[in-house]
Amino acid sequence: METTHSESGTPELAEPHLRQLLGAAGLAVEYVRAEGNTLYLRGDDGEEIPVADFAGGYGSVLLGHHHPDIVRCARELLDAGTPVHAQFSRHPYANRLAAELNQIVHRELGTDEPYFAIFANTGAEAVEAAVKHAEMDRVMRLADLRGELAAAVESTRRAVDAGDAVVPERLRARFGIMGTLDDAAAFRELAAHIEPLNGARLDRRPLFLALEGGFHGKLGLSVQLTHNESYRAPFRGLAAQARFVPRESPEALREIHERERGVVLAFTVSGGQVDVVEREFPVFCAFLVEPIQGEGGVHVLSPEFAGEIQRFCAEIDCPIVVDEIQSGMGRTGTLLASSPLGLRGDYYTLAKTLGGGIAKTSAMLVRQARYRPEFEIVHSSTFAKDSFSCVIALKVLELLEADDGAVYRTARERGAALRAVLDGVRADFPEQVREIRGEGLMLGMEFHDQSGAASASVRELAATGLFGYFLAGHLLREHRVRTFPTASALNTLRFEPSVRLTDAELALLDDGLRDLCRALAAGDGERLVGRAAVAG
């Protein structure tokens, strides 16, 4: 790859290809300050230019950039010399954070079952911790099953040897045991056939279930649970195997289970006769579900399908991992976006706003019925569970819960105001805007596919695969509005501002989106590109 240079002449060595893409789309600006719902970029003359931030750190700054209470808390912690690196010691602040999370989760789910907390740094790491724990649980359940199968072989052998049970002809015929072997010899031959068969089946690699359109991270394991093929394909040989379930398709759940289910053969004795019965064993390690698919185009899980997933997973004993990394922490008006859907997870992953826009932290919660304490020894993270991030997260929860949950109410109210703006644009430009989706302050605006547009310049933009980024570049350049498309649905722009969103910023967004739609309606692709064609 040819080395490029920045404006200062310094070689571009920090992801230079991405820098070029940002330049092409008109998004390669430097932000120098942030507060509230505003980022300030550096202009050509060095001046600060305010930008209304509707991207919100991909949902990380629900409370706004540099919330004064969080900044004050951070300064106090650093001034006091709080230990950031005190691994393998007591962490009472982490325990307080786990307890506070439990209190809110219990209220929303209507349960008192404890959820144990494993802390991490990023959302993807929290997902990895959840699926690692689920696999450890599955392996330990398989070990119990292996023991039960071995015990059944031994107890059946004793019954046959003692003359208390016989191997009937139908069973001999079923497994091809020919000749006139006595019962003891016939049983030994049966066991010699079945035990290695069971062993091979139990050694089968785990399968994960996830929804089409889902996004669960880009690390070695989590990327294979993310539906976007372009993210998964280069790393397919590294990690997990997933089966992706179409959204809102309960029949697909049964079809996948029937096709992939695993069974072993177990010996029983009934009425003095040996028999062999099928027992299902856990092939499916976990089902990962986002209540709102952020990167997949802001699709909201319906309560009906949430109920189908809950029932299905209970029937096959498959734990549910509810990925609340982008949707959770109050963005939709509750701590868990899944709780109003009636979906109860065995695992929850939380991140983004948990750090208040300052600390980099995440949490994985496991309900008591699933928890394996052995996991605490085989999994760890250098930067997790420290005093700084935990106390910041406690401050975030305090702010969310203050005044009987005023932030939750504000998220719903500001979300409704944002939705009204987006709905108004769609109503006036139905040929350009296909659909508005989402809940609270997590909304998406999907534009119609422009690959067949009458305008050659618009068709060219659509053909780049960066259509949504050019739309975002236009909003930034012409209207000082910042947003991005969702990662796996590039025709959908995301809107995840903070609760400090103002009516003036909504008006700015309204003007920008209407101008953008008028340019699309006029087939003015050159205007959408603007100076971005030569930037970067």
Side-chain angles (χ1 to χ4, degrees):
M1 177 177 177
E2 183 179 346
T3 302
T4 59
H5 290 77
S6 67
E7 292 82 353
S8 64
T10 305
E12 287 280 1
L13 301 175
E15 300 183 337
H17 178 62
L18 179 59
R19 164 64 177 81
Q20 289 179 324
L21 291 178
L22 290 173
L27 297 169
V29 300
E30 178 188 1
Y31 294 103
V32 295
R33 191 163 63 87
E35 62 178 354
N37 205 59
T38 304
L39 282 165
Y40 294 85
L41 63 81
R42 189 187 302 283
D44 293 337
D45 298 328
E47 77 279 17
E48 290 186 355
I49 300 173
V51 174
D53 185 12
F54 284 87
Y58 297 126
S60 296
V61 285
L62 176 67
L63 299 174
H65 293 281
H66 293 125
H67 188 288
D69 289 350
I70 297 174
V71 170
R72 187 179 307 112
C73 178
R75 285 176 174 158
E76 290 172 355
L77 288 166
L78 294 175
D79 288 344
T82 194
V84 174
H85 293 286
Q87 298 92 338
F88 221 67
S89 63
R90 288 187 63 242
H91 296 270
Y93 32 81
N95 196 55
R96 289 198 301 273
L97 176 55
E100 290 295 323
L101 286 169
N102 265 268
Q103 183 175 341
I104 304 171
V105 169
H106 289 167
R107 182 187 71 216
E108 293 196 358
L109 298 182
T111 181
D112 59 2
E113 181 178 8
Y115 278 79
F116 295 97
I118 301 293
F119 292 99
N121 307 123
T122 66
E125 188 185 351
V127 169
E128 299 249 339
V131 296
K132 279 179 63 180
H133 186 285
E135 175 59 3
M136 182 179 216
D137 175 54
R138 190 188 77 92
V139 167
M140 294 176 80
R141 285 186 285 149
L142 286 177
D144 291 341
L145 177 57
R146 290 177 193 270
E148 293 170 13
L149 294 174
V153 170
E154 181 58 23
S155 64
T156 305
R157 181 191 63 77
R158 288 197 300 267
V160 171
D161 288 348
D164 296 330
V166 298
V167 180
E169 287 301 323
R170 58 175 177 76
L171 193 59
R172 295 173 185 240
R174 176 182 168 188
F175 288 95
I177 298 176
M178 310 303 291
T180 57
L181 296 177
D182 61 26
D183 288 307
F187 177 76
R188 287 195 297 272
E189 190 166 326
L190 266 178
H193 174 77
I194 288 174
E195 287 184 287
L197 178 66
N198 282 344
R201 291 180 179 181
L202 293 172
D203 285 339
R204 181 179 173 186
R205 291 179 64 187
L207 293 177
F208 293 86
L209 294 169
L211 294 181
E212 290 185 358
F215 181 96
H216 302 288
K218 294 181 180 178
L219 298 182
L221 178 55
S222 58
V223 74
Q224 294 302 328
L225 311 175
T226 290
H227 184 234
N228 190 319
E229 177 72 14
S230 64
Y231 295 154
R232 285 187 290 122
F235 315 106
R236 193 182 306 279
L238 290 181
Q241 298 182 83
R243 299 294 182 265
F244 292 100
V245 180
R247 287 190 297 263
E248 306 300 323
S249 180
E251 64 278 4
L253 296 174
R254 309 295 171 185
E255 292 169 3
I256 293 172
H257 175 250
E258 187 60 32
R259 185 170 65 247
E260 303 284 2
R261 66 191 289 266
V263 295
V264 290
L265 302 176
F267 284 106
T268 65
V269 175
S270 178
Q273 292 192 341
V274 175
D275 202 356
V276 173
V277 296
E278 288 188 345
R279 286 189 59 179
E280 188 163 345
F281 67 89
V283 171
F284 297 102
C285 183
F287 195 149
L288 284 85
V289 181
E290 292 169 286
I292 303 176
Q293 291 183 337
E295 303 302 334
V298 196
H299 291 275
V300 182
L301 187 71
S302 73
E304 294 76 19
F305 193 43
E308 292 285 352
I309 291 172
Q310 193 88 65
R311 287 186 289 274
F312 171 76
C313 287
E315 288 173 12
I316 69 169
D317 195 22
C318 174
I320 300 173
V321 178
V322 182
D323 184 339
E324 293 270 10
I325 289 163
Q326 195 165 165
S327 61
M329 296 303 302
R331 180 156 291 280
T332 64
T334 48
L335 185 82
L336 303 173
S338 55
S339 61
L341 302 176
L343 182 65
R344 179 178 177 180
D346 299 282
Y347 299 81
Y348 290 95
T349 56
L350 297 166
K352 295 190 183 292
T353 289
L354 184 64
I358 291 179
K360 296 173 177 62
T361 189
S362 60
M364 183 271 282
L365 305 179
V366 193
R367 73 183 183 96
Q368 185 178 45
R370 291 281 183 187
Y371 190 58
R372 297 288 188 172
E374 299 88 346
F375 186 74
E376 299 169 22
I377 305 302
V378 300
H379 179 86
S380 61
S381 177
T382 297
F383 295 100
K385 205 170 64 170
D386 66 285
S387 173
F388 181 80
S389 65
C390 287
V391 176
I392 292 292
L394 281 164
K395 175 58 70 174
V396 169
L397 294 183
E398 177 187 320
L399 293 170
L400 291 177
E401 293 286 302
D403 190 19
D404 195 28
V407 168
Y408 302 128
R409 294 193 297 276
T410 302
R412 289 192 289 269
E413 184 275 323
R414 292 284 78 190
L418 174 58
R419 179 70 180 247
V421 167
L422 301 183
D423 283 340
V425 173
R426 180 179 181 272
D428 291 343
F429 294 93
E431 299 301 315
Q432 286 70 49
V433 180
R434 181 175 182 271
E435 189 176 13
I436 309 299
R437 297 185 293 268
E439 294 287 342
L441 287 170
M442 186 176 179
L443 298 174
M445 171 181 273
E446 182 181 354
F447 288 80
H448 286 289
D449 179 19
Q450 298 294 321
S451 59
S455 165
S457 61
V458 172
R459 288 200 306 274
E460 288 171 8
L461 286 184
T464 65
L466 299 172
F467 181 71
Y469 289 101
F470 283 109
L471 300 185
H474 176 82
L475 289 171
L476 177 62
R477 182 178 58 254
E478 301 294 332
H479 299 278
R480 300 309 181 198
V481 167
R482 181 176 190 252
T483 188
F484 300 113
T486 58
S488 299
L490 296 181
N491 280 4
T492 300
L493 293 182
R494 71 173 84 217
F495 302 94
E496 299 181 77
S498 77
V499 291
R500 299 168 75 178
L501 175 66
T502 66
D503 289 341
E505 289 165 335
L506 286 172
L508 197 64
L509 175 66
D510 191 34
D511 289 344
L513 289 173
R514 289 175 182 278
D515 178 49
L516 188 157
C517 288
R518 284 192 291 269
L520 283 174
D524 195 350
E526 289 84 357
R527 182 162 180 267
L528 290 175
V529 174
R531 292 192 304 274
V534 295

